Structure formats: structure tokens, C-alpha cells
Amino acid sequence: MSQRITIDHREMSALRHPEKAHRPDNPIQRKPSWIRVKAPNHPVYHETRALMREANLVTVCEEAACPNIGECWSQRHATMMIMGEICTRACSFCNVTTGLPKALDTDEPRRVAEAVAKLGLKHVVITSVDRDDLADGGARHFAHVIQSIRAASPETTIEILTPDFLRKPGALEIVLEARPDVFNHNIETVPRLYPTIRPGARYYQSLRLLDGVKRLDPSIFTKSGLMLGLGEEKMEVWQVMDDFRVADVDFLTLGQYLQPSVKHATVEKFVTPEEFDGYAAAARSKGFLQVSASPLTRSSYHADSDFAKLQAARNSSLKESL
């Protein structure tokens, strides 16, 4: 006899997001056919999951309920989320738990580096929760993780996806001294929507952060992205692209926002693949070295192959300038 399982998104949200409990419910819409994915069942997926558990590591793939987890983990591509699983921010789009984080785990850099070596990664993406409770926003911890990976797996290229380090003077310099290969920080949405979507962040702080990377070390690739479908207008997306180019951002990612629970921001629109193609064409015309735009695009999705394309695009651009 079969048993029907009912998932109560309100109960799930109350457990992970008590700060959102007072918000009215936003019904979760049925996803269109172009963004449905298969349930993960590949043997390598389970191996990757077991390794993360064995090393006591947190992944953004799980915490953010990424739709690509089955595909990525089946290729041993796991994006590790350092500094715990509790974030000090309460963004209305994000599925990561909000609250008071625990003390930093000083052994975490070693465990991350060992996991990278065991997975045999050519390219790794390391992200984190926001740690507004720390004087440097977690910058030194990022640096220690980068240094540990370099020691354990010197051939691996390293991409970091950092918080905005709002009101954390000197934090960016600390991270850049460790010389990541790619510095990623997501703008997430257009400036008009920040008060409701990213209330704890500031659009121009994020732009200054990305611009600061290029000022301090132009050799480091910069990357940023937006979620579409939150109510943004096309002209607003184009303006963000222009702001990115002023900051000399190399790589742009655009993906569809998916609502984690009834207490999160609603999906205002499911952007079609054809519309994503149009955004990608506009971005390329503006001079980005690399563009990834599709409903399932996420910051670390296909990051390894995209990094190779990014390097090739820079080399081609340098040759053309000679």
C-alpha cells in the first residue's frame, strides 16, 4: 500500500527561518518544464555526500536547496560553505538558516583542503554565510582556507564566493593577499528591490567590493550574478550589467530565482530560456569575458569548465590588444 507524503512548507520555514514566521504565505507556483530536474541517484552523488558527512563539512548545495545538486555531486563538484550553516542576514530569497552563528571552527580549513584533495578537484568554489558578528567578517578564515587548499592540492584553482564585508575595513585586502583565482560576490538583484530582497545589504557596497578587487589586483578574475524573476525590469538588468562593466567585472551569471518556502519572496515570473538568451547576447555585447545565463544557472554551476573558458577569453583578448 502506497503512502502519500505531504510537505508542510510553513513548518519547514518556521524551523529554519523563525524571523520569517510572521510574514504572509506566498504560494509556491508550479515550475515550468524547462527547470525541472531529476532526483539524484548516481553512485558518485552518494560518494560525494558521504565524504561531506565524514569531513563534517557544510555545502551551499544542500543549504540553499540548489536544483543542480544531483548533476554536480555526480561529478564530485561540491561547493563548500565555510564558517557554519547559520547566517547573520535574513534575505527574503535565501534558504540558509538565520540566527546567531557559532564560534569559528579553526580546524575547518584543514578539512576543506583534505576534501578537495580527495575529490581530485581541478577547480573548487568556496562560499560562506554572512558573519557580521566577526570583526573582519570572516576574511582571515577565507584566507586560511585558501592557503590550506594551496598546500594540500597545489594544482587546484580556487574560486571564492564571499559576503559583502559591509563595514569591515581591511577585510578585502586580507582575502586578496591569499590570491584566489576568482573572486565572486553576487549582487543578487537590481537596486530597486534591495529593501525587500536584500535588506541587510547595500547595492553600492557590493559594487565597490568588486571594483576594489580590480584596483588591488587586476590579475584576479571577478564574477557576479543576479537572480531573475523577482520583479525586475529588463532595463534595470541592463543597467546592472553596465555598472558591472564600470567595475570591470569579468564574468556574469544570470539564473532563475526559485522560492524555497511559502515564507520567502514570491516568484514574480518564470523567465523563459529565450529571454535568458537575449540577456546573454546583451551581456556579451557589453564586453564581459564570460557569460552564463539560463534558468538553472547558479554561481558555481559548471564553474570548472567556465573557468577554463574565462582563461581562454582573457588570453584571446590580450592577443587581440597586441
Side-chain angles (χ1 to χ4, degrees), residues 120-233:
L121 298 179
K122 294 180 181 178
H123 184 81
V124 65
V125 182
I126 305 295
T127 188
S128 79
V129 291
D130 279 285
R131 291 297 303 257
D132 296 311
D133 58 312
L134 300 175
D136 67 353
R140 286 178 180 80
H141 198 77
F142 259 107
H144 292 156
V145 169
I146 295 168
Q147 291 158 358
S148 296
I149 295 172
R150 294 279 187 228
S153 187
E155 300 302 315
T156 301
T157 50
I158 302 171
E159 178 173 331
I160 56 171
L161 174 54
T162 77
D164 58 12
F165 297 125
L166 181 64
R167 303 183 188 93
K168 307 296 180 183
L172 178 61
E173 288 81 357
I174 291 169
V175 174
L176 294 185
E177 283 178 7
R179 293 197 50 78
D181 297 283
V182 181
F183 187 103
N184 186 355
H185 171 68
N186 284 329
I187 292 284
E188 306 291 11
T189 191
V190 300
R192 176 176 58 85
L193 297 177
Y194 262 55
T196 55
I197 302 302
R198 283 188 88 196
R202 301 293 180 269
Y203 177 77
Y204 289 104
Q205 165 64 18
S206 291
L207 275 181
R208 280 194 295 268
L209 187 75
L210 292 161
D211 180 68
V213 176
K214 287 299 187 183
R215 276 191 301 100
L216 294 167
D217 193 337
S219 69
I220 295 176
F221 289 109
T222 50
K223 179 176 176 181
S224 190
L226 295 90
M227 301 170 293
L228 302 185
L230 283 162
E232 70 287 334
E233 299 291 338

Side-chain angles (χ1 to χ4, degrees), residues 237-272:
V237 177
W238 289 345
Q239 182 59 60
V240 173
M241 291 182 190
D242 289 338
D243 291 344
F244 281 161
R245 293 307 301 131
V246 171
D248 201 21
V249 171
D250 298 302
F251 190 171
L252 171 67
T253 62
L254 301 172
Q256 171 70 52
Y257 165 65
L258 298 175
Q259 185 180 341
S261 83
V262 295
K263 295 298 184 181
H264 286 78
T266 190
V267 175
E268 298 292 341
K269 178 182 179 181
F270 286 110
V271 181
T272 67

Side-chain angles (χ1 to χ4, degrees), residues 75-91:
Q75 301 172 30
R76 295 187 172 87
H77 296 161
T79 299
M80 282 159 265
M81 189 169 77
I82 60 175
M83 296 191 278
E85 69 277 11
I86 301 175
C87 186
T88 54
R89 304 274 176 97
C91 298

